[in-house]
Amino acid sequence: MDVQYNVKRVLERIAEAAHRANRAPEDITVVAVTKTVEVSRIMEAINAGIRHIGENRVQEFVKKHEFIPAEVKRHLIGTLQTNKVKYIIDKIDLIHSLDRLSLARELDKRAAAVGRVIPVLIQVNVSKEATKSGIFEEELESFIEQLEPFKHVRVKGLMTIAPLSSNPEAVRPYFARLKELFDRIKERGYPHIDMEYLSMGMTNDFEVAIEEGANIVRIGRAIFGERYV
Ligand SMILES: *Cc1c(COP(=O)(O)O)cnc(C)c1O
């Protein structure tokens, strides 16, 4: 599996999807999802131009962190246990998976302790699948209002994971729905949050996500090949 070639192909496909939607390809950030991928192959992706990496497990992230060049941005994309916040609070550039108030409270406390404001995305469970975490859309605005006291947590946008499907068209409505919520919340103009990033789209469906407005896509297998662990 040629990582360098895969990165090039992914960037081309992103550019094509952006053009179809009359958007600028450079407005779309690729997060290379590096779960189960060893550092040497992550470095191949970085050498091919990747500047953002995403891990979904704290332990794996912490193990690899010191070997990744400092200028590469680190994203945490998986469900975050409250008791693990302390291991990542000074290392992560963007958390995609804020899904409950107790996590916001812990992030706020730990971010305050290290003197930073931690940027986060709210994970929304648009499809309401029982196996997925995330806030339901009906609860989103009330959740946002409850985040107001947490001055060391800054919401920067929304994230979702679409249902698993071999047909990307089947998930288009979920992406369109998250974009609607994103625009609506942006219009509300809450002073304590920014609606800047819309993180949606993975290997199976990133082109559809871009057509529907994603500006962060999280791509693992299309860059590193299938995961067998
Ligand atoms: C694994 C993972 C991805 C990447 O999935 P691929 O199908 O390999 O592109 C994206 N987002 C999250 C939250 C993930 O856990």
Side-chain angles (χ1 to χ4, degrees), residues 31-35 54-57 76-79 96-97 123 159-161 164 199 201-206 217-227:
V31 174
V33 175
T34 52
K35 59 190 181 201
E55 286 282 347
N56 70 339
R57 292 217 182 84
L76 193 83
I77 60 174
T79 303
H96 291 229
S97 46
Q123 182 169 353
M159 175 272 218
T160 199
I161 305 174
L164 194 59
S199 169
M202 320 190 344
T203 290
N204 282 349
D205 53 25
F206 69 90
V217 290
R218 310 176 308 267
I219 301 180
R221 290 170 301 134
I223 293 175
F224 297 109
E226 292 297 323
R227 290 178 294 269

Side-chain angles (χ1 to χ4, degrees), residues 63-116:
K63 216 162 67 184
K64 294 173 184 172
H65 169 73
E66 61 177 307
F67 301 106
I68 304 295
E71 68 272 19
V72 174
K73 301 288 185 203
R74 280 96 160 132
H75 298 246
L76 193 83
I77 60 174
T79 303
L80 178 56
Q81 287 174 263
T82 309
N83 62 1
K84 301 226 167 109
V85 167
K86 57 178 176 285
Y87 302 117
I88 56 134
I89 194 69
D90 58 342
K91 300 181 180 67
I92 283 282
D93 294 288
L94 183 63
I95 293 172
H96 291 229
S97 46
L98 177 62
D99 59 357
R100 57 198 192 280
L101 215 54
S102 58
L103 178 58
R105 189 175 299 117
E106 178 69 9
L107 286 167
D108 187 59
K109 186 180 107 187
R110 297 286 177 181
V114 297
R116 72 177 297 207

Side-chain angles (χ1 to χ4, degrees), residues 177-195:
R177 183 62 189 150
L178 193 67
K179 176 64 160 67
E180 276 177 24
L181 295 166
F182 179 86
D183 289 341
R184 193 173 80 197
I185 290 163
K186 191 172 188 160
E187 223 162 84
R188 288 280 162 99
Y190 293 103
H192 67 291
I193 67 166
D194 308 307
M195 279 292 120

Side-chain angles (χ1 to χ4, degrees), residues 124-132 135-138 163 174:
V124 184
N125 187 353
V126 185
S127 57
K128 296 201 164 78
E129 288 172 285
T131 53
K132 291 214 162 77
I135 305 286
F136 286 169
E137 59 178 79
E138 293 80 2
Y174 300 107

